[in-house]
Amino acid sequence: MNVRALPGTAAPGPIETSIDTSLPPEGYVLYCTESGIFIRGGSEAGIFYGRQTLDQLGPDVPCGRISDQPRFGWRGVLLDVARHFMPVADVLRFVDLMAFHKLNVLHLHLTDDQGWRIEVPGWPRLTSVGAWRTESMLGSRQHGIHDGTPHGGFYTTAELREIVAYAAERHVTVVPEVDMPGHMQAAIAAYPELGNGFDGPVRTSWGISPHVLNLSQETLDFCRQVLDHVCDVFPSKLIGIGGDECPTDEWPGGRELQTAFTARMAEHLAGRGRRIYGWDEILAGGAPEGAVIAAWRGEEPAEVAIAAGHQVVCCPDVKLYLDYRQSDDPGEPTPVGTLLTLEDVYSYEPPSSPLVRGAQANLWTEHMESLRRVEYMAFPRLCAFAEVVWGPADRDFAEFSARLTEHLGRLDKLGVNYRPLSGPRPADGRDGAPGHPRTLEDRLAELREMTAELR
Ligand code: ACM
């Protein structure tokens, strides 16, 4: 952002906007003068971002000129609506908060072992059975505590279209994900013929289900039908097919079967003019040409993807998983993962390569049972992340911190339940839902083991 301040206060009144294609598509120039306010944008998106900046300046806008443009085209957030269902109004509210921070990709994690959230024509049991579980875990799986309370919900096609349209108006692309061929226990609970003999319920524990899709022609057809519907609802050029953490124990072969499966799905989507977006596990054995990789298991998968010529979105867990604990204060709700402070997020820097499209922060919701909890975990770390992907590579945390205090006032006006910089309030804790904190050393060693199959 380049700011030139001038004396005086801008005249209130209508804002004039125009498109200037000499600017980058998402870039803008905001002129605040005593005779009026003008926004030139490289496209409608640029004008939109100029307006966001203007909104943040408040009612008495000082005169001056701001020219601004993002560093990355993919400024994403993953929202996991599978582990905890989030009503449409809450998703829309979250989109508003994303747009306010100039974030532009909502990776919507629609299905998992613990719940299936998208209605699919011809497969009614996916939602009548797969969208509901009898109870949920309270806290990390190591403690084995369940709440005894049913949980569930799903989005109708009309609701998903509403989310897509609402997001598009705010220049946010919704990239849907149906995780396959693992993380599929909810679908298999609905249609046991998709599995390998498992005939049980939607998973009520966190963690990875061993029950995965079989790879019969019928099951591949099911996957194609689901993806066809996903393409009908979501205009995104990229369609998420997951691919993470798929145990192979139920299969007659190993990882090569998943590689072949992923290739079939990519081929099918290519026929509809779409490309796959998959977790870095799909690099094992070679990902299909054109696949965009969500590199979550550290820096190594991003390097492997780049070396293979794939575009990458970086979302390393120890840097950008916002379900990980924000401090070691005992009052933090369900502390899991490694310590991930506001400064840790602010200091994250993606590898430098033209194949890096950007980065995304991931909000896995095992331990976020409400929008309030999501906001607590997301903010203010998402404010820091927004600067990582929009602002320059050379950033100064002290300078950011000074500006953040003012920004938290804006979040107060919006009623955002952000984590106070001073630490959790008594009501922020989650009694009865204990966590499982990890050390960075342990987690990095584990990741190194997990990514061995990419070497
Ligand atoms: C992931 O965290 N399993 C992508």
Side-chain angles (χ1 to χ4, degrees):
M1 181 184 284
N2 192 307
V3 181
R4 178 146 39 89
L6 294 168
T9 304
I15 297 150
E16 273 187 45
T17 63
S18 62
I19 288 185
D20 176 350
T21 53
S22 72
L23 294 171
E26 293 184 298
Y28 65 91
V29 184
L30 169 63
Y31 303 91
C32 302
T33 74
E34 284 176 341
S35 55
I37 294 176
F38 308 88
I39 301 173
R40 283 197 289 129
S43 69
E44 289 296 338
I47 293 173
F48 179 79
Y49 294 130
R51 279 187 189 276
Q52 298 306 303
T53 298
L54 186 60
D55 283 350
Q56 297 190 5
L57 290 173
D60 294 320
V61 181
C63 286
R65 174 184 183 278
I66 293 176
S67 69
D68 198 11
Q69 65 185 76
R71 187 157 60 113
F72 291 108
W74 188 296
R75 304 181 300 279
V77 185
L78 173 141
L79 190 59
D80 169 12
V81 292
R83 268 51 174 272
H84 275 105
F85 175 68
M86 197 183 260
V88 174
D90 290 357
V91 176
L92 302 187
R93 149 88 168 180
F94 193 77
V95 167
D96 278 331
L97 294 176
M98 284 180 64
F100 191 61
H101 293 85
K102 304 188 176 89
L103 298 168
N104 68 346
V105 178
L106 175 61
H107 174 172
L108 203 55
H109 184 75
L110 284 164
T111 65
D112 216 303
D113 297 317
Q114 294 85 2
W116 182 282
R117 309 284 174 228
I118 169 172
E119 177 184 68
V120 179
W123 298 89
R125 286 175 61 85
L126 287 174
T127 43
S128 65
V129 174
W132 309 95
R133 60 178 184 254
T134 52
E135 58 178 347
S136 305
M137 267 194 156
L138 277 176
S140 296
R141 65 181 183 280
Q142 287 80 3
H143 306 286
I145 309 168
H146 285 85
D147 66 2
T149 307
H151 175 84
F154 65 91
Y155 305 109
T156 64
T157 298
E159 287 171 333
L160 290 172
R161 289 193 201 286
E162 182 188 355
I163 291 170
V164 167
Y166 189 91
E169 280 168 18
R170 289 152 184 80
H171 300 276
V172 172
T173 301
V174 183
V175 175
E177 179 195 346
V178 174
D179 206 341
M180 55 180 76
H183 286 281
M184 266 283 178
Q185 185 172 320
I188 297 166
Y191 294 99
E193 62 269 29
L194 299 172
N196 300 280
F198 174 73
D199 193 4
V202 174
R203 189 172 169 90
T204 56
S205 298
W206 310 133
I208 306 164
S209 170
H211 305 301
V212 304
L213 293 180
N214 64 51
L215 301 175
S216 66
Q217 278 314 314
E218 291 77 13
T219 298
L220 263 59
D221 281 341
F222 160 78
C223 292
R224 292 186 189 103
Q225 285 177 40
V226 170
L227 292 175
D228 281 344
H229 177 63
V230 167
C231 288
D232 286 344
V233 176
F234 296 92
S236 164
K237 283 270 175 287
L238 288 174
I239 301 292
I241 53 110
D244 58 325
E245 302 174 321
C246 180
T248 57
D249 309 325
E250 290 189 338
W251 291 342
R255 186 66 62 219
E256 69 280 1
L257 295 179
Q258 185 179 350
T259 309
F261 168 86
T262 305
R264 294 287 84 74
M265 294 305 116
E267 201 173 272
H268 185 70
L269 285 168
R272 303 199 48 142
R274 315 293 181 98
R275 294 160 68 185
I276 61 167
Y277 181 47
W279 300 110
D280 60 57
E281 280 90 337
I282 70 167
L283 291 165
E289 200 184 328
V292 177
I293 307 297
W296 72 278
R297 295 179 298 176
E299 286 171 15
E300 189 184 4
E303 287 162 12
V304 171
I306 291 166
H310 292 287
Q311 291 184 335
V312 183
V313 174
C314 298
C315 48
D317 72 338
V318 299
K319 297 285 189 182
L320 297 179
Y321 271 31
L322 301 187
D323 54 327
Y324 285 13
R325 66 192 200 275
Q326 313 198 52
S327 79
D328 279 327
D329 188 307
E332 294 290 359
T334 315
V336 299
T338 57
L339 177 62
L340 184 60
T341 65
L342 179 66
E343 183 165 6
D344 292 333
V345 173
Y346 193 76
S347 63
Y348 173 64
E349 190 52 25
S352 173
S353 162
L355 289 172
V356 171
R357 288 181 65 154
Q360 81 181 27
N362 292 349
L363 278 160
W364 300 105
T365 59
E366 284 93 335
H367 309 299
M368 297 175 218
E369 78 293 10
S370 65
L371 177 65
R372 277 186 72 71
R373 186 85 62 198
V374 167
E375 290 183 358
Y376 178 90
M377 296 306 289
F379 296 101
R381 292 186 294 186
L382 207 50
C383 312
F385 173 74
E387 295 213 356
V388 171
V389 281
W390 184 285
D394 59 328
R395 295 179 300 278
D396 176 8
F397 184 66
E399 185 268 339
F400 166 73
S401 299
R403 282 186 291 110
L404 182 62
T405 310
E406 193 181 339
H407 188 67
L408 293 181
R410 297 178 190 122
L411 297 189
D412 279 327
K413 287 205 183 89
L414 295 169
V416 177
N417 182 44
Y418 60 85
R419 177 189 181 276
L421 297 176
S422 55
R425 297 149 295 206
D428 293 323
R430 201 171 173 218
D431 290 345
H436 181 67
R438 309 286 310 278
T439 66
L440 186 60
E441 294 71 37
D442 280 0
R443 183 59 182 153
L444 291 178
E446 194 172 70
L447 289 169
R448 205 162 157 73
E449 209 169 295
M450 284 166 79
T451 52
E453 65 182 355
L454 303 185
R455 263 164 240 144

